[in-house]
Amino acid sequence: MGSGWGNHGALRGQTRPILLLLPCPRRTAMCVGKCSRIVGPCLLVLGTLSTAASILLLFPGGASKYLLEGHISGHARAVPGLWGGGIAVLLAATHVTALGWQRSGCSARRSALLSVLLSKLALLGAAACFVLCGVGLTNGPLCLYNSSEPGLGHAARWGYPFLDALDQGPDARAENYLYNRRAWSICLEPEGIVPWHVVLFSLLLLISVAEMVLALLQILNGCLGCLCGFCDGK
């Protein structure tokens, strides 16, 4: 009897640490599902906003004639917010949102792995959007402005007046249009193109940063989902 009670006590001592560790994977699985239910809709909203902002850049002041005439800046025509911060992110967002409500099982682990791959694609798309929008914001808009050229005098032409100013001397940063709002009046057409350009490209920069953060979070979350699965409860 003594040895039996001793063995029983030893077994209880061995199982206690194991029982303490069992709830941890379940809590992790619950966090994976909840995180996906938050990240997915957020990416859906950001991807939609990015697409809308990128399309609006093609229509300064709501007018379509400048797009038809080809008087839209190159970085706006590239629509990085459409394919980079938009479509690539929306693909991942749709899958991640559905993943958040999926039950545990082999299919859930495969879906978690797919979410990691799509989130990497979203990360690359958002990063490309960030770079292109940053360059577009620095260069400034394409507009009709009065230029002075040797032998030609003053003439109105289409171009990048703020990009030309940056190439004129070492003090260009001090003359950067982003720090000198009085210089915005140099653009004659389209009307209000400078604030339109600055606001939308700045918005795309902020959106792409948020998308990159959420995509990274979902990559980590998806890796946990592959390892721990999803809990069957809510």
Side-chain angles (χ1 to χ4, degrees):
M1 290 291 293
S3 60
W5 282 105
N7 292 334
H8 182 67
L11 287 173
R12 290 182 61 187
Q14 292 175 358
T15 57
R16 183 173 299 172
I18 298 176
L19 292 175
L20 290 175
L21 291 174
L22 284 176
C24 295
R26 182 175 179 82
R27 286 200 298 268
T28 303
M30 291 177 66
C31 291
V32 170
K34 289 180 179 179
C35 184
S36 296
R37 290 196 289 269
I38 295 173
V39 172
C42 289
L43 285 175
L44 281 173
V45 172
L46 291 173
T48 303
L49 289 175
S50 178
T51 300
S54 193
I55 292 175
L56 285 174
L57 279 169
L58 299 175
F59 305 97
S64 61
K65 70 172 186 176
Y66 301 106
L67 177 62
L68 298 175
E69 295 171 356
H71 294 149
I72 300 294
S73 68
H75 290 90
R77 288 199 308 270
V79 286
L82 176 61
W83 55 265
I87 295 175
V89 172
L90 289 173
L91 285 174
T94 303
H95 182 76
V96 170
T97 302
L99 178 67
W101 301 97
Q102 197 161 355
R103 298 291 183 174
S104 179
C106 294
S107 61
R109 293 177 187 271
R110 287 194 296 268
S111 296
L113 178 60
L114 180 58
S115 77
V116 172
L117 299 177
L118 289 175
S119 295
K120 288 181 179 179
L121 177 64
L123 177 62
L124 291 176
C129 180
F130 179 82
V131 173
L132 290 174
C133 290
V135 176
L137 181 62
T138 303
N139 291 348
L142 175 70
C143 67
L144 182 69
Y145 70 103
N146 287 319
S147 64
S148 57
E149 298 181 3
L152 297 178
H154 292 277
R157 70 183 184 95
W158 288 92
Y160 297 88
F162 307 116
L163 181 60
D164 295 339
L166 284 172
D167 296 333
Q168 288 178 357
D171 297 330
R173 183 173 180 82
E175 300 173 359
N176 192 321
Y177 78 104
L178 294 174
Y179 307 100
N180 182 15
R181 297 185 63 176
R182 289 177 298 179
W184 292 9
S185 60
I186 191 175
C187 285
L188 306 176
E189 285 189 55
E191 186 178 356
I193 182 60
V194 182
W196 185 272
H197 182 91
V198 171
V199 169
L200 290 176
F201 266 120
S202 299
L203 179 62
L204 283 171
L205 283 174
L206 294 175
I207 290 174
S208 58
V209 169
E211 288 174 339
M212 285 189 286
V213 172
L214 290 175
L216 280 172
L217 180 61
Q218 182 55 35
I219 289 172
L220 297 176
N221 185 53
C223 290
L224 284 176
C226 291
L227 297 174
C228 303
F230 295 82
C231 59
D232 292 326
K234 293 184 177 179

